[in-house]
Amino acid sequence: MRDITHFIDGAAVAGTSGRFSEIFNPNTGEVAARVALASLGEVNAAVASAVRAQQTWALVNPQRRARVMFDFKRLVELNMNGLAEMLSSEHGKVVADSKGDIQRGLEVIEFACGIPHALKGEYTEGAGPGIDVYSMRQPLGVAAGITPFNFPAMIPMWMFGIAIAVGNTFILKPSEKDPSVPIRLAELMMEAGAPKGVLNVIQGDKVAVDAILDHPDIKAVSFVGSSDIAHYVYSHGTAAGKRVQAMGGAKNHGIVMADADIDQAVKDISGAAFGSAGERCMALPVVVPVGEKTAEIFREKMLAEIETLKVGVSTDAAAQYGPVVTAAHRRKIADYIQLGVDEGAELLVDGRGFQLQGFEKGFFIGPSMFDHVKPAMRTYQEEIFGPVLQMVRAETFEEAVALPSQHQYGNGVAIFTRNGRAAREFAAQVQVGMVGINVPIPVPVAYHSFGGWKRSAFGDANQHGMEGVRFYTKVKTITARWPEGAVEDSAFVIPTMG
Ligand code: NAD
């Protein structure tokens, strides 16, 4: 069986813990490989390598660091097909989606190619008599990233793309469910000219995460995953004196106003709810039609749309989505569907019985749809993370805005309308971090920044864009004068410029 290793100090390292986790092919349900789970020893070795590398990497000028990013981007593009197939074979998403996963990560690398501009400091000439003040952004040292299974290329690149470009070295702890692509990205980073130790990959579980949170030489931790773990990482990391950003789960709503282009909204919401089997933190699993008539029209059209969906193996170019990541996750989704029925929601389409001929052991689940879901139901309050669309009916615009605003999660939200004033009011009022107006998956472009509100994100800094640059750097402000002639008396009171 294939063993997936760590990547420390520029080389594959098998690890000594004797602990492994199985990697499945979600299409067939077979075990395809096993991944080594780190012990403290591997984490310490990776940090030691990163500390060594950082001392020289921070002195490489920003333009040269940007060139490494440029070469990395080119290498990833050259390897796109192989990487996408590798990603699909462990995650289960269709190959076109895997390419999207890699491409959205590369857009952050493109931003990182312009890092000299982003790192320019500020300067005030003559802040006082003969006194100039300027500021600079310096790297933190060693940073770490802990990532979820659902975007094994994009989310690591969100993090290490910026962290490394600004002069840090990085330790990536990817999900133990699909760890092959992150290792390949680290190899390509070395091929692109990053010195060994600049990007290390530690495979593992809670043991590795705790070792990262406790290690005094790691100065910042970026986390993306489910909310309970995000909160754990945020509270432990900050208690250990680290800078932490921790993104959590989501339950994104799509508000459909009576004046919306309903056919377009149905297409958009179908893609956002069922694409990638609903395993996206920016999926749209809740639809809120405003008014009974809108609800009835939407329901009828969405049921027809679901009929057309094709679920297939991840290599099937005609399939809209593939299997979910593990059998355990499939069970969890099926349990939520049962809970929805028990709670009294109306199950219009039940995906639990779906089987793909020839792939009966694969982790497939068909699309499901509920109507008459109520805010008090657990299936509404919690994240299902599967291909399940829940319809919550609202009578008025105010009621519709209140639903996502009062939900425990606040990652993304979308409104479908032809009314610019309603859309503007919605964007201003809604208590959610990322808003789409007739855009179902409003993932911000790389030079803006990504981040939710409430239990969807702990900490203040968003991912990538200038927020990412700020997260991975610290500001130093210098006040300078070059006195001439006689020695001046120094005052013992707080100096002022006036
Ligand atoms: P997860 O929380 O199970 O795992 C995330 C990371 O935490 C993994 O690297 C995992 O190894 C580690 N981990 C798991 N259990 C741990 C524990 N007990 N202690 C310490 N570390 C632990 O999440 P997942 O299932 O891989 O990913 C899906 C979740 O991620 C969903 O909730 C989804 O909404 C969320 N997500 C959020 C965003 C965002 O930006 N807000 C983006 C993508 C995914």
Side-chain angles (χ1 to χ4, degrees):
M1 187 184 310
R2 189 166 63 94
D3 274 358
I4 301 164
T5 62
H6 313 286
F7 187 80
I8 301 173
D9 208 34
V13 171
T16 55
S17 72
R19 297 189 308 122
F20 296 88
S21 182
E22 289 177 326
I23 307 296
F24 296 95
N25 177 342
N27 292 305
T28 61
E30 285 160 4
V31 176
R34 59 177 197 167
V35 62
L37 300 176
S39 57
L40 190 58
E42 284 86 40
V43 176
N44 286 342
V47 178
S49 160
V51 167
R52 270 195 310 277
Q54 207 267 331
Q55 282 154 14
T56 43
W57 182 243
L59 302 177
V60 172
N61 75 51
Q63 198 165 354
R64 284 181 187 270
R65 292 199 301 258
R67 282 185 196 142
V68 172
M69 290 297 153
F70 192 85
D71 285 347
F72 174 71
K73 167 183 147 62
R74 208 173 37 86
L75 284 172
V76 174
E77 282 167 351
L78 284 173
N79 286 277
M80 177 65 91
N81 290 339
L83 283 166
E85 276 160 29
M86 181 188 271
L87 197 161
S88 287
S89 74
E90 290 183 353
H91 178 288
K93 64 174 83 172
V94 294
V95 172
D97 240 359
S98 291
K99 287 186 177 167
D101 185 335
I102 298 164
Q103 178 55 33
R104 287 308 296 246
L106 277 184
E107 289 169 14
V108 174
I109 303 298
E110 282 167 6
F111 173 82
C113 291
I115 210 69
H117 178 66
L119 281 177
K120 285 189 302 192
E122 295 176 328
Y123 193 96
T124 303
E125 186 200 4
I131 296 175
D132 303 324
V133 179
Y134 58 100
S135 65
M136 54 177 74
R137 292 201 162 268
Q138 295 193 323
L140 303 174
V142 179
I146 301 159
T147 54
F149 81 84
N150 68 325
F151 281 97
M154 176 184 81
I155 294 178
M157 285 193 265
W158 279 0
M159 298 175 180
F160 72 67
I162 308 276
I164 291 175
V166 302
N168 299 290
T169 51
F170 201 79
I171 302 198
L172 173 65
K173 206 302 284 169
S175 167
E176 64 276 42
K177 294 182 185 135
D178 45 12
S180 290
V181 166
I183 281 276
R184 193 70 198 109
L185 293 177
E187 288 168 355
L188 292 174
M189 185 61 86
M190 300 296 109
E191 237 180 273
K196 63 183 186 181
V198 165
L199 177 56
N200 300 280
V201 181
I202 288 293
Q203 310 288 6
D205 54 7
K206 181 170 164 51
V207 174
V209 171
D210 286 344
I212 286 170
L213 296 177
D214 288 340
H215 203 298
D217 288 338
I218 295 177
K219 303 300 179 198
V221 176
S222 179
F223 174 91
V224 178
S226 53
S227 289
D228 287 349
I229 315 287
H231 186 253
Y232 170 82
V233 166
Y234 182 74
S235 49
H236 281 64
T238 49
K242 299 181 200 311
R243 195 177 278 192
V244 183
Q245 55 177 188
M247 275 61 191
K251 191 87 177 185
N252 306 322
H253 294 54
I255 313 298
V256 181
M257 301 296 290
D259 64 3
D261 177 341
I262 304 270
D263 291 323
Q264 185 66 47
V266 165
K267 284 265 176 225
D268 287 350
I269 292 172
S270 169
F274 303 117
S276 203
E279 293 170 315
R280 293 178 181 142
C281 68
M282 289 295 273
L284 213 69
V286 178
V287 59
V288 185
V290 178
E292 278 305 302
K293 193 163 157 233
T294 319
E296 290 307 323
I297 299 170
F298 183 90
R299 169 178 163 143
E300 191 187 316
K301 288 183 186 265
M302 183 54 91
L303 286 174
E305 181 68 20
I306 289 174
E307 289 278 306
T308 69
L309 288 182
K310 181 170 190 297
V311 183
V313 287
S314 50
T315 47
D316 180 351
Q320 263 96 22
Y321 75 86
V324 299
V325 68
T326 58
H329 191 51
R330 192 195 175 286
R331 270 195 302 279
K332 183 180 146 193
I333 297 165
D335 288 349
Y336 267 120
I337 295 170
Q338 186 55 45
L339 178 63
V341 174
D342 297 344
E343 287 180 318
E346 184 189 2
L347 182 59
L348 302 175
V349 185
D350 186 353
R352 286 174 295 180
F354 177 85
Q355 281 214 323
L356 190 65
Q357 216 184 356
F359 294 87
E360 287 76 8
K361 296 218 166 93
F363 310 142
F364 294 94
I365 184 158
S368 297
M369 181 172 171
F370 282 101
D371 192 0
H372 300 290
V373 173
K374 304 286 179 212
M377 294 177 180
R378 255 187 65 203
T379 45
Y380 170 75
Q381 291 161 0
E382 296 174 13
E383 180 183 43
I384 299 175
F385 220 54
V388 182
L389 179 63
Q390 296 170 282
M391 194 151 110
V392 184
R393 295 173 178 232
E395 279 306 313
T396 60
F397 173 77
E398 289 70 25
E399 217 182 289
V401 181
L403 283 164
S405 295
Q406 287 167 7
H407 201 280
Q408 63 163 332
Y409 294 118
N411 215 38
V413 70
I415 185 165
F416 297 87
T417 182
R418 288 189 171 99
N419 180 336
R421 208 153 61 98
R424 188 170 180 273
E425 201 177 319
F426 177 78
Q429 280 181 23
V430 72
Q431 297 300 301
V432 172
M434 292 173 281
V435 181
I437 296 174
N438 298 314
V439 171
I441 305 183
V443 178
V445 289
Y447 43 95
H448 283 258
S449 72
F450 183 106
W453 288 5
K454 299 179 281 183
R455 276 181 63 77
S456 292
F458 302 92
D460 299 322
N462 277 2
Q463 300 276 351
H464 64 69
M466 284 310 292
E467 288 262 322
V469 173
R470 287 182 206 110
F471 180 73
Y472 289 112
T473 54
K474 52 194 173 193
V475 176
K476 186 180 278 177
T477 308
I478 294 103
T479 304
R481 70 173 169 170
W482 301 93
E484 250 185 275
V487 176
E488 294 169 25
D489 279 341
S490 288
F492 287 90
V493 292
I494 182 94
T496 62
M497 298 291 177

